[in-house]
Amino acid sequence: MRLTVLGSAGTYPVRGRPASGYLIEHEGTRVWCDAGPGTMTELPVAVSDIDAVFVSHRHPDHCLDVIIASHVLAYGPSPRFGVPLYGPASALEAIVEFVDGGRIDEVFQLNPLDESDRVTIGSLTLSVAVADHSVDTLASRWETEHRSLCYSGDTGPEGDWMRLAKDVDLFLCEASYQGEPGIHEYPHHLTASEAGAIARSAGAKKLMLTHIPPHLDPARSVTEAEKTFDRPVSLAVPGVSTTL
Ligand SMILES: [Zn+2]
């Protein structure tokens, strides 16, 4: 399995650093996982060569480029229709409603996911769990026969979504905050130290921090996560691929 970071900026993109988005590949299957602004043009393959799209939730920094991709798929040089789009029902509805016409409902085949769903996408298996966020949000676990990846999406520390990170080869976890847990007004995100603690209790083999806002120093986030997680900690850097 290979993970390519397309963008990792938390909450909003900045030049050279798109918002959240990843390409997950295995044996010819390609899934675009979260489609934050700026990630579509960072895809190393044509949009029409993507097998499926997954959006964790409806916040714009995670799904806006799905709307742009619908134009490429419908009106670009290689039109393609019926591309599976997975995510919480409310996210899929919001995307379709925003476009309000066009060919988005032809371009994408909508596949709303529920808590207990486990679906096969080519050579990948996807499981989801409800995350601790202010809108319907799904954490996800991606598996092949021998490898596993968990992506937290946006989440706070509550709930049992972290079961998806059990013994994973790589835990791609949001770290929107720094400093002590509990001091932030909006509780539905994690500090870097919370990300590390969750990775440790889940038995993750490696932790990759993402969704760090552009105004924070990411090196500090790594240092804080290393205090609570005793295995390798890295940063999600746009353009960098990791083979699991
Ligand atoms: Zn969010």
Side-chain angles (χ1 to χ4, degrees):
M1 193 190 315
R2 187 166 64 165
L3 170 75
T4 300
V5 178
L6 307 171
S8 60
T11 311
Y12 58 91
V14 288
R15 188 176 186 188
R17 206 172 152 212
S20 298
Y22 313 91
L23 179 65
I24 300 171
E25 299 173 278
H26 181 63
E27 291 180 351
T29 298
R30 299 186 182 106
V31 178
W32 182 10
C33 172
D34 267 354
T39 58
M40 187 191 76
T41 52
E42 295 303 311
L43 283 166
V45 296
V47 180
S48 55
D49 287 335
I50 296 294
D51 295 290
V53 184
F54 168 83
V55 291
S56 61
H57 65 301
R58 62 180 291 178
H59 281 158
D61 58 316
H62 292 256
C63 70
L64 275 188
D65 270 11
V66 172
I67 294 166
I68 297 301
S70 75
H71 277 206
V72 179
L73 293 166
Y75 311 119
S78 306
R80 187 155 161 234
F81 300 93
V83 176
L85 173 61
Y86 296 91
S90 63
L92 307 190
E93 287 161 11
I95 289 166
V96 171
E97 188 180 335
F98 182 88
V99 177
D100 190 21
R103 303 187 72 179
I104 195 161
D105 54 352
E106 299 169 63
V107 162
F108 292 115
Q109 171 202 86
L110 304 183
N111 295 282
L113 294 174
D114 288 322
E115 168 83 28
S116 57
D117 284 343
R118 184 177 166 87
V119 298
T120 300
I121 305 172
S123 57
L124 293 162
T125 302
L126 164 65
S127 308
V128 294
V130 174
D132 170 20
H133 206 43
S134 54
V135 298
D136 298 337
T137 301
L138 294 172
S140 56
R141 180 182 175 108
W142 303 83
E143 291 173 286
T144 66
E145 197 177 342
H146 301 293
R147 292 286 182 269
S148 55
L149 162 72
C150 176
Y151 170 47
S152 66
D154 279 5
T155 188
E158 301 298 323
D160 74 340
W161 61 268
M162 54 288 284
R163 64 186 159 79
L164 297 182
K166 184 170 172 46
D167 299 330
V168 281
D169 293 291
L170 181 65
F171 181 29
L172 175 63
C173 188
E174 77 123 280
S176 303
Y177 298 139
Q178 295 174 337
E180 294 301 311
I183 61 172
H184 304 281
E185 194 174 316
Y186 181 81
H188 305 296
H189 282 304
L190 297 172
T191 65
S193 66
E194 284 176 315
I198 291 167
R200 184 176 186 136
S201 63
K205 296 183 178 70
K206 291 180 181 174
L207 171 63
M208 181 183 285
L209 302 178
T210 192
H211 204 271
I212 298 171
H215 62 272
L216 296 183
D217 173 11
R220 180 179 162 188
S221 301
V222 170
T223 300
E224 291 185 357
E226 284 174 337
K227 287 179 180 159
T228 52
F229 185 57
D230 55 352
R231 289 173 173 171
V233 180
S234 62
L235 286 171
V237 177
V240 174
S241 294
T242 303
T243 301
L244 279 65

